[in-house]
Amino acid sequence: MLKILKYSFFDLMRSRWSYVYFAFYLLLGVVLLFLNNDLSKAIITLMNIIIILVPLIGTVFGVMYYYNSKEFTELLLAQPLKRSSIFLGQYLGVALSLSMSLILGLGIPFVIYGLFKSNAIWDFSLLLLIGGFLSLIFTALAFNITLSNDNKIKGVGYAILLWLFLAIIYDGIFLMSLILLEAYPLDKLSLAGTMLNPIDLSRILILLKLDISALLGYTGAVFKQFFGTGLGLIVSFLMLITWVAAPLARIIYVCKRKDF
Amino acid sequence: MIRIQNLHKSFGKNHVLSGVDLDITEGGIFAILGPNGSGKTTLIKSILGMVIPDKGTILVEGVPTKNRSLYRNRIDYLPQIANFPGNLKVCELIRMIKDLRGKVAYDSILIEKFQLAPYLGKKLSTLSGGTRQKLNIVLTFMFDSPLIILDEPTTGLDPISLIQLKQLIHGEKKKGKTILITSHIMSFVEEVSDEIVFLLEGQVYFKGSISSLKSKTQQLDFEHAIASILKDNHAQNIKI
């Protein structure tokens, strides 16, 4: 698996899009820090961008990489390699190169800005960690879509729908259901609703850490009340890990049964 | 070497293989023939584990292939369509495959034989179809494995390379290897193969030497013998 990971990773590192993605974050970090000069505001702006953009790039990159490397995959399948190591290797190659673009792109301007001397270092590290998690989750979801759809156009369509649903539509439905069920106790429903969407979960996790109650909203407040800050962080981390593990398990299950 | 028992595979409603029983003994060249869509590639891919059979067993060197991967280290496979990752260079691809296999490779002799040296620094996406097929052949033959599977090896080759391919196949046969070939070029099959396996409608219709096929169909040359099988079968189908 490590050999496949190595080749996929270096293959992506040489592609133009990795540099574009890296440059975008670099620019974003520089602009937010040096033109804004307020670290905590910069981190909140970054959070809003990361929790929308990282899932989008993760799904689109994952889907495109899978379809573009189809020939490479077929070449690998005839080699004495396990199917699970081929697909997990490729998956990690994509997810890690995306995470690296994010971490380096945002990390470099922050280090130059003097992050190590500031007390925002933990907030910032958490932000990058969440970005990494979101890359892992959405690349895994993208691989799930492509393994089940040999038709490229369908695969790309489903991937974009998935992102649209989790990033935008889900919140709308969630809010509507809260309004409609106003008369009932909603704690459990809103807890479950948050847990079932990795984007919402990430947002709450960062806001809990930043301790900005004004931005938490109803779901965040319930979350905080129910778990407290410490336990809330742990529970939401466990949920994020589940969000990585479950799609991965399905990748292994599907790839062992697929015909090429 | 390879034993296939009662192999079934369907893609949706399309039953590609319906009960293939086949024994490939060690040593010699076996040609797998059949009309388009008769399941040649599916059979080969099942042996390689790229297609998962619905039913039946495949043993390679006495070991069941199901859910295993290491037996592929004993097989060299030439795929039908030579598509490679486009942004790699030729030499990088060769190095990568050697690294993945971790076996001794004889790539430099083959590169010289097929005159690929000028292309080593080029990207795979810039190669012509014929050059790609030559590279494909190099990647297949550079390892010394006892079983070689060639899916349409002659596609796109110029006459010189074709002669070299034939020499290569004969050389490997002399080493006592087992070689499976599929091809639509009947003269090529007749020239290189010892035995033929004819697939028809997902089953083995005929297995034996070319001369016994000729006597069975009462035809004087190989191409007509094959055509007569297809014609007879077609006539039968119409009657039904």
Side-chain angles (χ1 to χ4, degrees), chain B residues 66-117:
Chain B
K66 206 179 171 195
N67 292 333
R68 284 172 210 258
S69 56
L70 281 178
Y71 76 94
R72 285 198 282 271
N73 219 345
R74 312 273 291 158
I75 304 177
D76 291 332
Y77 168 58
L78 181 99
Q80 187 172 19
I81 303 160
N83 275 332
F84 300 116
N87 49 359
L88 278 180
K89 285 180 187 162
V90 174
C91 56
E92 286 171 330
L93 179 69
I94 294 176
R95 207 183 317 134
M96 182 180 86
I97 298 290
K98 284 202 296 199
D99 181 32
L100 287 173
R101 279 244 175 166
K103 273 173 87 173
V104 186
Y106 305 94
D107 50 326
S108 43
I109 307 166
L110 288 166
I111 288 169
E112 201 179 317
K113 197 176 180 109
F114 285 97
Q115 294 169 338
L116 284 174

Side-chain angles (χ1 to χ4, degrees), chain A residues 3 7 71 79 83 259, chain B residues 9 50 52 83 99 101:
Chain A
K3 277 181 186 173
Y7 286 113
E71 286 104 36
Q79 307 299 328
R83 282 190 174 192
D259 296 317
Chain B
K9 178 71 197 177
M50 293 168 76
I52 315 256
N83 275 332
D99 181 32
R101 279 244 175 166

Side-chain angles (χ1 to χ4, degrees), chain B residues 145-162:
Chain B
S145 308
L147 177 60
I148 300 172
I149 298 177
L150 309 171
D151 200 351
E152 298 282 350
T154 55
T155 317
L157 290 183
D158 56 37
I160 303 169
S161 311
L162 193 59

Side-chain angles (χ1 to χ4, degrees), chain A residues 52-239:
Chain A
I52 295 298
L53 192 68
V54 168
L56 177 66
I57 301 288
T59 17
V60 172
F61 247 66
V63 167
M64 295 317 274
Y65 182 82
Y66 179 89
Y67 287 127
N68 284 342
S69 61
K70 224 169 174 176
E71 286 104 36
F72 178 47
T73 312
E74 276 172 23
L75 193 71
L76 293 176
L77 283 166
Q79 307 299 328
L81 300 164
K82 272 200 221 153
R83 282 190 174 192
S84 51
S85 34
I86 294 174
F87 288 98
L88 288 185
Q90 291 190 340
Y91 158 72
L92 284 176
V94 178
L96 291 183
S97 75
L98 287 179
S99 310
M100 215 175 84
S101 296
L102 172 79
I103 290 170
L104 287 183
L106 289 181
I108 290 171
F110 270 77
V111 169
I112 297 171
Y113 186 74
L115 177 81
F116 290 122
K117 284 176 215 137
S118 88
N119 46 14
I121 180 151
W122 292 113
D123 296 345
F124 183 69
S125 315
L126 180 73
L127 196 67
L128 292 187
L129 187 69
I130 298 287
F133 259 115
L134 286 174
S135 299
L136 286 171
I137 292 168
F138 280 88
T139 314
L141 292 175
F143 267 64
N144 270 292
I145 290 171
T146 51
L147 276 170
S148 308
N149 291 288
D150 278 331
N151 185 336
K152 198 172 173 174
I153 297 176
K154 261 192 188 170
V156 175
Y158 285 142
I160 294 193
L161 267 181
L162 174 81
W163 171 78
L164 206 63
F165 179 75
L166 288 179
I168 295 158
I169 300 172
Y170 188 91
D171 275 352
I173 297 175
F174 191 34
L175 205 64
M176 292 287 281
S177 61
L178 289 184
I179 294 169
L180 285 174
L181 300 171
E182 215 176 5
Y184 304 93
L186 289 172
D187 310 24
K188 295 274 159 60
L189 178 74
S190 57
L191 269 181
T194 313
M195 298 274 203
L196 291 176
N197 183 347
I199 297 181
D200 276 351
L201 196 61
S202 308
R203 180 172 19 223
I204 302 257
L205 218 167
I206 296 170
L207 290 176
L208 277 179
K209 176 73 184 68
L210 291 179
D211 216 8
I212 309 170
S213 7
L215 289 176
L216 269 176
Y218 175 69
T219 48
V222 169
F223 212 87
K224 194 172 174 180
Q225 193 195 2
F226 195 80
F227 290 117
T229 304
L231 189 63
L233 283 174
I234 293 169
V235 169
S236 36
F237 259 120
L238 287 178
M239 263 327 276

